Amino acid sequence: MSSKLILIDGNNLIHRAYHALPPLSNSAGQPTNAVYGFVQMVLPLLEAEQPEQVAVAFDGPGPTFRHEMTDTYKATRKETEVELRAQMDLAREVVDALGLAWLEVSGVEADDLIGTLAVRGREHDREVLIVSGDRDMVQLIQPGIAVMAPLKGMSDVKVYDAAAVREQYGVGPELIADLKALAGDPSDNIQGIAGVGPVGAAKLLQEFGGVTELYDHLDQVKQESLRRKLETGRESALLGRQLARIVTDVPVEITDEQMAWRGPDAAAARRLFARLEFGDLLERTGHWGHDWEGDVRLADEAALAELCRRAREVEHLTLAPAVGPKGERALALCADPARAWLWPLPEAPAEPTAAQGLFDEEQPGLPECLREVLEDAALPKWGARLKEASRALWDAPATLAGYDFDAEIADYLLAPQRPDHSVMLLAAAELGWWVPQKDADLPGDLPVWQVRPAVEAMAVERLRGVLLEQLDRQEVLSVFAEVEMPLVGVLAEMERTGIAVDVPRLQHLDAQLQGDLERMVAEVHALAGCEFNLDSPKQVGEVLFGKLALPGGKKTKTGWSTSAAVLDELAPEHEVVARILSYRELAKLRSTYVAGLLRELAQRTQRVHTTLEQTVTATGRLSSRGPNLQNIPIKTEAGREIRGCFIADPGNVLIKADYSQIELRLLAHFCGDENLVTAFRQSEDVHRRTGAMIFDTAPEQVTAEMRRAAKTVNFAVLYGMGSLALSKELGIPRSQAQEFIDHYFRSLASVKTFMEGTVQQARGQGYVTTLLGRRRPMPELHSPDRQVAAYAERAAANTPLQGSAADIVKVAMVQAAKVLAEQFPQARLLLQVHDELVLEAPRTQAPQVAALVREVMEQVVALDVPLTVEVAWGQNWRDVE
């Protein structure tokens, strides 16, 4: 039985992938769309064909013999795009990782390499399959050689044999070069015969044979005008045939053994896919076999006792949380890189939410030896998602202590712009390890949901030193050790504490909002003159732009666009549009923050236990989910009423401590502008002072409306808002908005100098730094897409302000938690919302707790201007506004 040889036209497939996919890049700014598409074509091909031999051919550097024949060859081709050129070396890395041979020869095109190997393969009785979208390749077809042309990836292909070639082109494979010689080929700048197209050329070749035979019998061409054209173009045709004909005798130094395919190099592929952030491709490597180093087992009590003894011996315990598809929970534990143990935890109830499992005292507890090491603050804990592991212990019940090293937080500091900081991705990038997320054939009897975190724990044992070295090299080790890791324990305790909810009030508000929504629906129906579903974008579009024929409609594949941007443009002109927008806002508020809070309420505690994420935002700010308590609107009555549903326990109050204008104060510190610095040092109203500048009047003449506009301008400058956005925000002409911005920068020239200098420095060094040394890489500054680069410039200018504010708030949380534990142990941190901390404390201690927290927050860092914190307290969150 003959073996199969696949020959892949590397350049062609990479070009096709590049132009078929939208621009893609990894978080480092490296273009990846061509490489991603190439892999998506090659992997299914290999899996389906299972060839014995494979070779990928690339165009060699330098001019070819065809260029020596004529300087017009391929002269009309556009220069290869920079983003595509940058991916050619990556493509070779991919080929290596897939275990494929590749070749290129200086001065030789990939077509000729493939032609040579195809003929040689047939001589050795191999079935040859050429994979290319280049129609030149079909001239190589003969018995035992076929061409597969991808149409849409590898999900839609066409396989050519001699019959298929004759059907499509009108001539057999042996005459394809002759066809191009007569009809020309614009892609290669082969001129052909003027006035002779593919159909006419095919007819001539069917009658006379090849180009040589045609010119030997030129007098037999009956049509005189055609005969003259052929005569005139004789040299062009003969040259064209030489240019179009694929050479099959190139000296190629590659052996059959080198082309033998034994499957991918799994570890190399995983490292590469992780670096390029091809998560779906990494998951496909799961069936390539496991290659992590170490042993994963379920622990019995004897093994657990030995593990705890070992943890004290090596002075650390590494752990990762494991959660099964039905809510099953376990801890992966290890104290050396060679073995991880699984210990099951009490299962969370399935209905209606996992939050109902909080603090279940009836659950069986942990073995005492494990509890002791977990709660020992002097024993360092390493791992992945340590805060999540702490949360898994709530019902044990046990309290994790000694947070020392979290690999995901380390990776977040190293690459905050990367969307995925999972240890599994780190293990793939650094060690070539991968455990799929779904069921797969794994060694032993343990399911994937247990094996994956166990492998992560073993990976942390190996990666900790590497990550600490990288943190040190990038000069962010102090941020990791002094800000982020101390914060983990603070956040874990805040999540466990939660915040109480006035359920009857929330339920009453839910009913009230439902009634408001029903009235709004009736009003919209009356204005539109018909009934329709306001929650259906399709129906809304049909009514607004179909029935009512409002201007500005934009059709998409699924119907009229009713995005917020489209409706915002129409809202000032049409009441029905404004009402629909109001309905959407209220409906979202109800579903997200009223019904959503009721869903997330923990029945045993009657509190909401949000998750505070450290590794999400590129600026360093915390984010909140399950539910998100940071985006409850404060400017609307409904939003304020929702805040009123968050309450203190009986005998307690909620305390709010809020940094005043922290980003503007940081701006004054960084730019050193005398006006700003003086205003803050003298406790002036900085918005009033700005109003006096942009309206060219005395501060005492600044009205409330002028101050509001000035406040908007101040924050517009902070966030790089342009004149168009500012004009919409203030409801003024764009020209006036631009005047405000220009006047601002004329009056505060050092602000503009600071911002432009920050952007320029970021462009040179590749990142922006906050006050405490946090880095935010900015690869988008070099994007050829002007819109992307402009956004990056605004982000670069703002990051020292927003990122430094985030750092200050985090340090304040750590220090506040420490002093409260020492002086007021009954006071507890509950929430962090942007520049605001929310605490709960006994009513009798409120003045002292508020004063202490304000003192801590105001002394976190020393700036050229004072940090000011406003404090207030009340029975609910609304009362403290």
Side-chain angles (χ1 to χ4, degrees):
M1 174 182 271
S2 62
S3 60
K4 181 177 290 185
L5 166 64
I6 291 183
L7 300 171
I8 297 173
D9 186 346
N11 284 80
N12 180 266
L13 263 59
I14 291 166
H15 275 81
R16 290 177 68 84
Y18 176 80
H19 292 289
L21 295 178
L24 299 173
S25 61
N26 64 2
S27 55
Q30 187 173 30
T32 59
N33 62 331
V35 174
Y36 179 76
F38 177 73
V39 179
Q40 290 283 34
M41 286 190 279
V42 172
L43 263 185
L45 170 73
L46 297 172
E47 291 168 354
E49 298 293 334
Q50 291 296 308
E52 285 77 18
Q53 294 181 324
V54 186
V56 182
F58 293 100
D59 291 339
T64 69
F65 73 91
R66 295 181 180 89
H67 292 96
E68 294 172 359
M69 292 172 62
T70 172
D71 56 9
T72 64
Y73 180 64
K74 294 187 178 182
T76 56
R77 286 197 179 181
K78 294 180 181 178
E79 187 175 351
T80 303
E81 296 88 341
V82 173
E83 293 78 13
L84 177 54
R85 284 205 308 272
Q87 297 182 66
M88 293 306 296
D89 286 340
L90 277 179
R92 291 168 174 80
E93 286 188 57
V94 165
V95 170
D96 285 335
L98 294 179
L100 309 176
W102 62 270
L103 67 160
E104 66 179 15
V105 176
S106 181
V108 178
E109 295 182 67
D111 301 26
D112 301 316
L113 297 176
I114 289 173
T116 300
L117 292 178
V119 170
R120 193 174 84 181
R122 283 309 298 148
E123 290 172 352
H124 290 81
D125 194 32
R126 291 185 175 84
E127 290 293 321
V128 179
L129 179 63
I130 298 169
V131 183
S132 175
D134 185 349
R135 71 171 187 174
D136 287 353
M137 291 296 186
V138 299
Q139 67 183 275
L140 295 170
I141 291 173
Q142 57 177 278
I145 300 178
V147 172
M148 177 184 286
L151 303 178
K152 293 181 180 178
M154 284 298 171
S155 61
D156 187 8
V157 299
K158 183 169 183 177
V159 179
Y160 287 90
D161 57 11
V165 173
R166 279 190 289 271
E167 180 181 353
Q168 180 164 334
Y169 297 104
V171 297
E174 71 282 357
L175 291 178
I176 290 296
D178 299 76
L179 184 69
K180 290 181 65 174
L182 297 177
D185 183 353
S187 66
D188 289 340
N189 199 31
I190 295 175
Q191 299 301 314
I193 306 294
V196 176
V199 174
K203 288 181 179 179
L204 287 170
L205 295 174
Q206 290 166 8
E207 181 178 354
F208 293 98
V211 167
T212 300
E213 290 78 10
L214 170 63
Y215 279 104
D216 286 345
H217 302 87
L218 191 58
D219 58 338
Q220 295 180 22
V221 175
K222 297 176 183 178
Q223 189 178 347
E224 183 179 349
S225 60
L226 177 58
R227 192 166 59 248
R228 284 199 300 270
K229 290 176 183 177
L230 291 169
E231 181 58 50
T232 301
R234 181 190 295 261
E235 289 187 12
S236 175
L238 294 174
L239 175 62
R241 185 176 60 177
Q242 288 181 279
L243 295 174
R245 182 173 290 163
I246 293 176
V247 174
T248 60
D249 59 356
V250 176
V252 178
E253 296 181 2
I254 187 168
T255 66
D256 289 348
E257 175 61 23
Q258 288 171 320
M259 290 191 292
W261 186 59
R262 299 175 180 84
D265 181 338
R270 288 165 183 156
R271 287 188 176 96
L272 182 58
F273 292 167
R275 174 159 59 93
L276 299 178
E277 297 169 14
F278 294 163
D280 58 332
L281 294 179
L282 272 171
E283 191 66 11
R284 289 180 66 167
T285 70
H287 68 272
W288 293 354
H290 90 275
D291 50 10
W292 64 82
E293 299 171 9
D295 188 21
V296 178
R297 298 183 186 180
L298 279 176
D300 56 23
E301 294 209 8
L304 191 65
E306 174 59 25
L307 171 69
C308 294
R309 186 201 64 76
R310 174 67 176 164
R312 294 199 179 280
E313 181 181 293
V314 298
E315 298 183 339
H316 76 269
L317 177 68
T318 300
L319 63 159
V323 180
K326 298 179 181 179
E328 312 98 313
R329 294 182 294 186
L331 279 182
L333 304 158
C334 66
D336 64 64
R339 175 171 293 173
W341 296 97
L342 271 298
W343 186 261
L345 296 174
E347 291 188 14
E351 297 294 341
T353 68
Q356 283 193 314
L358 298 176
F359 318 129
D360 188 350
E361 301 294 342
E362 298 178 3
Q363 294 276 16
L366 294 174
E368 193 59 28
C369 67
L370 180 57
R371 180 190 304 281
E372 288 178 358
V373 297
L374 290 173
E375 295 188 340
D376 185 352
L379 182 68
K381 307 305 186 302
W382 304 349
R385 306 180 303 285
L386 287 179
K387 186 160 61 64
E388 185 181 328
S390 171
R391 199 176 184 113
L393 290 166
W394 287 356
D395 288 320
T399 302
L400 187 65
Y403 302 93
D404 181 73
F405 178 84
D406 191 303
E408 295 194 358
I409 293 174
D411 185 64
Y412 165 68
L413 279 174
L414 292 169
Q417 78 282 17
R418 188 155 52 222
D420 187 351
H421 302 284
S422 67
V423 172
M424 200 72 256
L425 194 64
L426 283 171
E430 298 291 339
L431 307 172
W433 294 5
W434 186 259
V435 180
Q437 298 184 58
K438 298 180 181 179
D439 288 339
D441 292 330
L442 299 175
D445 300 324
L446 298 180
V448 166
W449 71 267
Q450 290 184 338
V451 173
R452 186 178 171 95
V455 172
E456 288 181 326
M458 292 189 294
V460 170
E461 290 272 342
R462 290 169 167 81
L463 294 175
R464 179 176 177 272
V466 173
L467 292 170
L468 287 174
E469 182 182 343
Q470 291 175 359
L471 289 167
D472 189 34
R473 189 164 59 245
Q474 291 194 21
E475 300 179 342
V476 290
L477 184 57
S478 62
V479 180
F480 176 79
E482 299 169 18
V483 180
E484 295 293 353
M485 284 312 302
L487 185 64
V488 177
V490 175
L491 296 180
E493 187 58 31
M494 290 170 65
E495 291 180 4
R496 185 180 180 119
T497 301
I499 183 168
V501 174
D502 186 338
V503 177
R505 182 174 180 175
L506 192 61
Q507 290 171 333
H508 175 75
L509 178 60
D510 186 41
Q512 179 183 320
L513 292 180
Q514 179 60 28
D516 291 343
L517 289 169
E518 290 172 357
R519 284 190 293 275
M520 294 173 77
V521 169
E523 291 172 357
V524 170
H525 287 170
L527 288 169
C530 65
E531 293 188 3
F532 60 99
N533 184 357
L534 270 66
D535 296 316
S536 167
K538 183 178 181 181
Q539 291 187 33
V540 170
E542 289 170 351
V543 170
L544 294 183
F545 303 114
K547 180 180 184 297
L548 300 180
L550 299 184
K554 300 175 183 177
K555 271 216 166 182
T556 66
K557 293 179 180 179
T558 56
W560 295 100
S561 171
T562 60
S563 67
V566 171
L567 297 192
D568 281 341
E569 290 287 335
L570 285 172
E573 308 296 330
H574 303 277
E575 187 178 0
V576 67
V577 179
R579 295 290 181 90
I580 289 173
L581 285 171
S582 297
Y583 169 85
R584 284 184 175 180
E585 181 180 351
L586 195 63
K588 182 178 180 181
L589 196 65
R590 176 178 175 263
S591 65
T592 304
Y593 296 113
V594 181
L597 285 174
L598 290 170
R599 283 194 305 270
E600 297 288 350
L601 186 70
Q603 298 301 316
R604 288 192 177 88
T605 67
Q606 288 294 289
R607 300 172 81 88
V608 167
H609 301 263
T610 186
T611 298
L612 296 165
E613 300 279 15
Q614 279 178 273
T615 61
V616 172
T617 69
T619 59
R621 283 189 180 273
L622 296 174
S623 64
S624 167
R625 66 171 174 83
N628 182 353
L629 299 183
Q630 294 187 330
N631 289 340
I632 300 174
I634 193 174
K635 294 182 179 180
T636 66
E637 179 57 30
R640 289 190 289 271
E641 187 59 27
I642 291 171
R643 287 195 169 206
C645 296
F646 291 94
I647 59 174
D649 283 341
N652 288 355
V653 292
L654 298 183
I655 301 173
K656 183 193 77 169
D658 190 6
Y659 278 111
S660 172
Q661 301 169 343
I662 186 171
E663 290 185 23
L664 283 172
R665 293 172 188 272
L666 284 164
L667 177 63
H669 171 79
F670 280 120
C671 75
D673 183 87
E674 184 178 346
N675 286 307
L676 282 177
V677 171
T678 300
F680 284 121
R681 284 178 176 174
Q682 297 180 356
S683 300
E684 292 182 21
D685 183 336
V686 72
H687 299 314
R688 183 172 295 278
R689 174 173 273 226
T690 300
M693 287 189 300
I694 64 175
F695 289 104
D696 196 19
T697 188
E700 60 271 15
Q701 298 299 316
V702 175
T703 65
E705 184 63 24
M706 293 162 69
R707 183 187 181 280
R708 186 184 74 83
K711 181 178 180 180
T712 303
V713 171
N714 272 328
F715 288 104
V717 169
L718 283 179
Y719 289 92
M721 188 184 295
S723 59
L724 179 60
L726 181 60
S727 69
K728 290 181 178 179
E729 185 75 19
L730 293 176
I732 60 177
R734 185 174 181 179
S735 58
Q736 185 180 1
Q738 187 61 54
E739 286 178 15
F740 281 173
I741 294 173
D742 292 343
H743 203 151
Y744 183 98
F745 282 126
R746 281 197 299 271
S747 301
L748 301 171
S750 55
V751 172
K752 189 171 187 178
T753 300
F754 160 70
M755 290 186 159
E756 290 178 346
T758 299
V759 173
Q760 192 62 32
Q761 184 179 27
R763 193 176 281 116
Q765 66 186 16
Y767 59 87
V768 187
T769 306
T770 68
L771 188 69
L772 298 187
R774 182 187 304 274
R775 289 187 182 185
R776 180 182 181 180
M778 302 295 300
E780 301 88 353
L781 285 169
H782 301 287
S783 172
D785 185 327
R786 183 55 203 153
Q787 190 172 359
V788 172
Y791 172 81
E793 289 172 2
R794 294 192 296 272
N798 173 257
T799 292
L801 310 175
Q802 191 176 150
S804 296
D807 288 347
I808 289 171
V809 171
K810 286 180 173 180
V811 175
M813 293 171 71
V814 172
Q815 294 184 2
K818 183 175 184 295
V819 298
L820 287 175
E822 294 169 351
Q823 300 183 38
F824 297 98
Q826 291 177 290
R828 303 178 294 183
L829 275 171
L830 304 184
L831 297 174
Q832 184 272 325
V833 180
H834 306 310
D835 307 326
E836 168 187 334
L837 301 184
V838 178
L839 304 90
E840 184 174 15
R843 183 180 298 276
T844 56
Q845 297 178 354
Q848 299 96 313
V849 170
L852 178 63
V853 170
R854 176 166 56 192
E855 180 183 1
V856 168
M857 292 174 68
E858 289 181 346
Q859 295 179 4
V860 165
V861 294
L863 302 180
D864 289 340
V865 297
L867 280 175
T868 301
V869 175
E870 298 172 351
V871 296
W873 57 87
Q875 186 56 36
N876 62 61
W877 197 4
R878 175 175 182 160
D879 290 350
V880 300
E881 296 301 341

